[in-house]
Amino acid sequence: MKKPTRASAVKAKKGRKTRASRSKAVPKRLAKPPAKRPAKQAQRGASAAADTKATIRGLRSKLKEAQRRVTELEAAADTDFLLEIPNRRGFERELTRAIAYMKRYRASGALIVLDVDRLKPINDSFGHAAGDEVLKAIAATLTQQVRASDVVGRLGGDEFALLLWNLSETDAKAKAAIFEQAIDDLSFTFRGQHVTAGASAGVALLGAHSDAGRALEEADAAMYVRKAHRRHEPRIRLVSS
């Protein structure tokens, strides 16, 4: 193998020195510091975050208002618009809840269905405004005769229903008689005529084995029996003043 000449060796040595000096002369490249966001960009980000929070607050407020409105509509759907007491839908809901409670806690109560005896003649003689006044007076009278835990509702037309807690059969029938008498004692004056109205009441007992639909049917049937008996009593009539 041919040995390199002296000139070639010197030349190679100089090349190595040159490359070494170049490598020493060039400093190591430092890591580039993170770029700072411009102030305007930061402001835009903060503004967007604030807008998002405001939008969320607005949506929550609208949701709360919608929920309140739904609650109001549900209450209105369960309330008689004339008498401001539960309508049939609302009363049946209360009755179903009450029976569920009675089944769970072995409580008891009574259901009374009450029918106004003379509403149609009053409507025919003096108009529906007079009939509405009679209904309002009856609803107020019934409400005054019950406890805060009891429920008075209008099933429709001239028919009312009462849900009474913790009454025996004897007490429930006595209470029904009190309701009848209180309505018999009401008096009105329409077009110079003294007007009275009456009512017939039927009772059904409530307990752990009750069913809302059957209880209403039972009380309604008892009410019609009572109405037939009242036909033999002195008639409640329109009396000229």
Side-chain angles (χ1 to χ4, degrees), residues 133-175:
E133 185 175 335
V134 172
L135 290 173
K136 289 178 182 179
I138 291 174
T141 299
L142 294 175
T143 302
Q144 292 168 3
Q145 296 282 341
V146 300
R147 298 159 295 185
S149 58
D150 299 332
V151 181
V152 178
R154 183 187 182 190
L155 299 182
D158 54 2
E159 194 169 59
F160 292 82
L162 300 100
L163 169 61
L164 309 176
W165 287 90
N166 301 321
L167 288 181
S168 65
E169 182 176 5
T170 301
D171 292 338
K173 289 181 177 178
K175 197 67 175 176

